[in-house]
C-alpha cells in the first residue's frame, strides 16, 4: 500500500536536518514555509539564499516546489517539497514589479497582511477594517496573473471577504480555525468560511494552541470534531492542514513576528505580558513526526480513507495545481 499524500500548509520552524527528517518521518510530501514576516526585499533575498544553500546541503531530504508536479516528485522520491511563502507583503515594499520577480524566485504564497494594516489591506488586530486598498486590488490582480496564491490568514474580516470577491482565482487561509471552535482574533467566521468554500478556496487547520479551544490542553478528539463540523460547513474538498508549527525557535523570533520594526513597546500578539512566550505544545502534536496521530484521529471520527487523504494533503495538492502558475 502506498503512503498517504500529506501536506502541511504552514510552518516556521528553526530549520535543520533534524526538522527535515521529522517532516519525512511524519509522511509529509510538502510544507509551505514562511520565508518573511517583516523583512524587506533585500532581507528576503538573503532568506532565499539561505534556503538555496539548504537545498544543496540536504538534497536527499528536501526539494524546492514551483509547481504541483514538484510535490508529486517529492512524494515519489520520499522527500519533502518546500513551498516558499510570505506572511506579510513587506518584501514587495511599494513596488508591484516585485510580485513577478519573487514568483520567478519560487515564492508561491503571500499574505496580504500580518495582523496590522498593510499597504494592501487590514489585519485582524486593527480596530477599523478598511478592506482591501487600491494598491491591494492591483497586487491581487498581479498575483492572479503570475500564479502567486493570496493568503488571508492574519487579515481582518471585511478585507478577507473583499479579497475573496476581488481575486479571479481561489485564495487560501493557510493556517486558522473557525471562530465557532475558538473565538480568537485570528480565527475565521462562518461567513468567511462559507465565502471561501463557495469560491473554491481552502482552509488549513491550525494546531497552534492560541487558535484552539482549551489551548495546549485541546484534545485530538476535540480537534477532529472541529474538522468534522467545518467539513459539514465547507465541504470535504475545501479543507486541509496548516499546522503553524514553530519548532525550536527562540523567543527572539516570536518577538520579531509580533513586533517587527513597527513598535517601541512590546506587543504580545495572541499572548499577554503574563503569557509572553511560546505556548506549550499539544500532547498529540509536538513535531512533524506526529502527523500520523491526526490520521488516526480522523479515522476514529468516521472519515473514510479517501476523505482522510483529502484533508491531510490531496486538497492542498489540487489547490496548488490550480494556483501555482500563470492564468
Amino acid at each position: 500500500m502506498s503512503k498517504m499524500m500529506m501536506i502541511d500548509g504552514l510552518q516556521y520552524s528553526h530549520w535543520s536536518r533534524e526538522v527535515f527528517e521529522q517532516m519525512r518521518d511524519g509522511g509529509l510530501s510538502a510544507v509551505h514555509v514562511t520565508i518573511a514576516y517583516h523583512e524587506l526585499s533585500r532581507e528576503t533575498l538573503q532568506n532565499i539564499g539561505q534556503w538555496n544553500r539548504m537545498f544543496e546541503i540536504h538534497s536527499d531530504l528536501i526539494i524546492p516546489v514551483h509547481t504541483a508536479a514538484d510535490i508529486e516528485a517529492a512524494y515519489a522520491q520520499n522527500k519533502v517539497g518546500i513551498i516558499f511563502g510570505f506572511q506579510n507583503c513587506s518584501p514587495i515594499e511599494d513596488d508591484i514589479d516585485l510580485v513577478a520577480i519573487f514568483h520567478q524566485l519560487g515564492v508561491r504564497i503571500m499574505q496580504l497582511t500580518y495582523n496590522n494594516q498593510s499597504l494592501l489591506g487590514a489585519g485582524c488586530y486593527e480596530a477599523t477594517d478598511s478592506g482591501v486598498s487600491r494598491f491591494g486590488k492591483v497586487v491581487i490582480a498581479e498575483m492572479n496573473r503570475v500564479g502567486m496564491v493570496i493568503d488571508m490568514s492574519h487579515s481582518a474580516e471585511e478585507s478577507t471577504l473583499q479579497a475573496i470577491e476581488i481575486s479571479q482565482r481561489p485564495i487560501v487561509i493557510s493556517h486558522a480555525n473557525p471562530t465557532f471552535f475558538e473565538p480568537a482574533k485570528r480565527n475565521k467566521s462562518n461567513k468567511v468560511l462559507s465565502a471561501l468554500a463557495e469560491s473554491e478556496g481552502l482552509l488549513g487547520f491550525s494546531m497552534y494552541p492560541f487558535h484552539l479551544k482549551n489551548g495546549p490542553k485541546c484534545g485530538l478528539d476535540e480537534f477532529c470534531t472541529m474538522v468534522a463540523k467545518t467539513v459539514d460547513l465547507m465541504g470535504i474538498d475545501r479543507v486541509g492542514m496548516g499546522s503553524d508549527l514553530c519548532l525550536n525557535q527562540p523567543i527572539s523570533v516570536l518577538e520579531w513576528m509580533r513586533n517587527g520594526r513597527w513598535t517601541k513597546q512590546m506587543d504580545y500578539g495572541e499572548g499577554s505580558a503574563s503569557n509572553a512566550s511560546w505556548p506549550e505544545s499539544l500532547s498529540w502534536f509536538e513535531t512533524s513526526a506526529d502527523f500520523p496521530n491526526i490520521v488516526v484521529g480522523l479515522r476514529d471520527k468516521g472519515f473514510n480513507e479517501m476523505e482522510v487523504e483529502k484533508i491531510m494533503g490531496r486538497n492542498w495538492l489540487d489547490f496548488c495545481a490550480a494556483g501555482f502558475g500563470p492564468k
Side-chain angles (χ1 to χ4, degrees), residues 173-187:
I173 294 171
S174 64
H175 56 299
N177 293 325
T179 53
F180 70 69
F181 184 70
E182 175 62 25
K185 288 183 178 180
R186 272 265 290 101
N187 284 345

Side-chain angles (χ1 to χ4, degrees), residues 97-111:
D97 286 336
L98 288 178
V99 174
I101 290 169
F102 276 119
H103 185 272
Q104 290 161 1
L105 295 174
V107 178
R108 290 296 176 268
I109 301 173
M110 181 172 78
Q111 286 185 188

Side-chain angles (χ1 to χ4, degrees), residues 26-315:
L28 291 173
S29 293
V31 178
H32 166 210
V33 304
T34 298
I35 64 168
Y37 280 96
H38 307 285
E39 287 90 338
L40 300 179
S41 57
R42 174 59 190 262
E43 297 164 305
T44 304
L45 290 172
Q46 291 173 319
N47 291 346
I48 292 173
Q50 290 171 355
W51 268 106
N52 286 344
R53 293 187 182 207
M54 285 191 282
F55 289 134
E56 288 184 48
I57 296 166
H58 307 291
S59 60
D60 58 322
L61 288 173
I62 58 172
I63 62 171
V65 169
H66 292 177
T67 67
D70 294 328
I71 298 174
E72 293 182 290
Y75 173 78
Q77 297 167 28
N78 197 29
K79 296 180 182 180
V80 183
I82 302 296
I83 305 165
F84 286 166
F86 298 158
Q87 285 218 46
N88 203 354
C89 63
S90 55
I92 69 165
E93 301 181 23
D94 58 0
D95 187 347
I96 195 168
D97 286 336
L98 288 178
V99 174
I101 290 169
F102 276 119
H103 185 272
Q104 290 161 1
L105 295 174
V107 178
R108 290 296 176 268
I109 301 173
M110 181 172 78
Q111 286 185 188
L112 300 194
T113 67
Y114 185 79
N115 295 341
N116 290 357
Q117 178 75 39
S118 75
L119 289 176
L120 307 184
C124 60
Y125 275 65
E126 295 291 350
T128 302
D129 182 0
S130 55
V132 175
S133 67
R134 294 176 71 206
F135 185 36
K137 290 173 183 175
V138 295
V139 167
I140 286 173
E142 180 69 352
M143 292 173 72
N144 285 169
R145 183 185 74 83
V146 302
M148 188 184 292
V149 171
I150 293 133
D151 188 350
M152 300 299 282
S153 294
H154 284 256
S155 301
E157 173 118 342
E158 184 59 31
S159 294
T160 303
L161 291 168
Q162 287 185 18
I164 293 168
E165 180 68 26
I166 293 163
S167 179
Q168 297 298 302
R169 304 177 76 166
I171 77 157
V172 75
I173 294 171
S174 64
H175 56 299
N177 293 325
T179 53
F180 70 69
F181 184 70
E182 175 62 25
K185 288 183 178 180
R186 272 265 290 101
N187 284 345
K188 305 302 177 185
S189 70
N190 283 16
K191 184 177 181 180
V192 164
L193 298 182
S194 295
L196 187 68
E198 287 167 16
S199 62
E200 300 185 348
L202 188 72
L203 171 72
F205 293 111
S206 169
M207 279 82 93
Y208 193 56
F210 283 124
H211 307 155
L212 297 169
K213 183 190 298 182
N214 301 320
K217 304 302 181 188
C218 181
L220 177 58
D221 183 71
E222 287 180 291
F223 178 84
C224 293
T225 298
M226 173 194 71
V227 172
K229 289 181 178 178
T230 310
V231 167
D232 288 342
L233 175 68
M234 298 182 68
I236 190 64
D237 297 326
R238 306 271 66 94
V239 300
M241 290 293 146
S243 71
D244 208 3
L245 183 65
C246 296
L247 192 66
N248 302 334
Q249 292 284 24
I251 190 70
S252 59
V253 164
L254 185 61
E255 291 172 351
W256 169 245
M257 290 159 59
R258 291 171 171 174
N259 295 270
R261 302 182 179 91
W262 63 270
T263 177
K264 290 182 177 180
Q265 288 75 41
M266 182 63 71
D267 186 87
Y268 295 105
E270 294 164 305
S272 63
S274 60
N275 185 23
S277 191
W278 295 104
E280 180 187 341
S281 61
L282 300 164
S283 63
W284 47 272
F285 187 79
E286 296 183 41
T287 76
S288 291
D290 293 326
F291 268 94
N293 292 338
I294 302 169
V295 172
V296 173
L298 293 174
R299 287 172 179 157
D300 289 345
K301 194 53 62 178
F303 288 103
N304 64 38
E305 286 305 294
M306 182 181 293
E307 291 169 333
V308 172
E309 188 155 6
K310 280 175 177 278
I311 295 167
M312 295 306 298
R314 287 288 170 184
N315 288 341

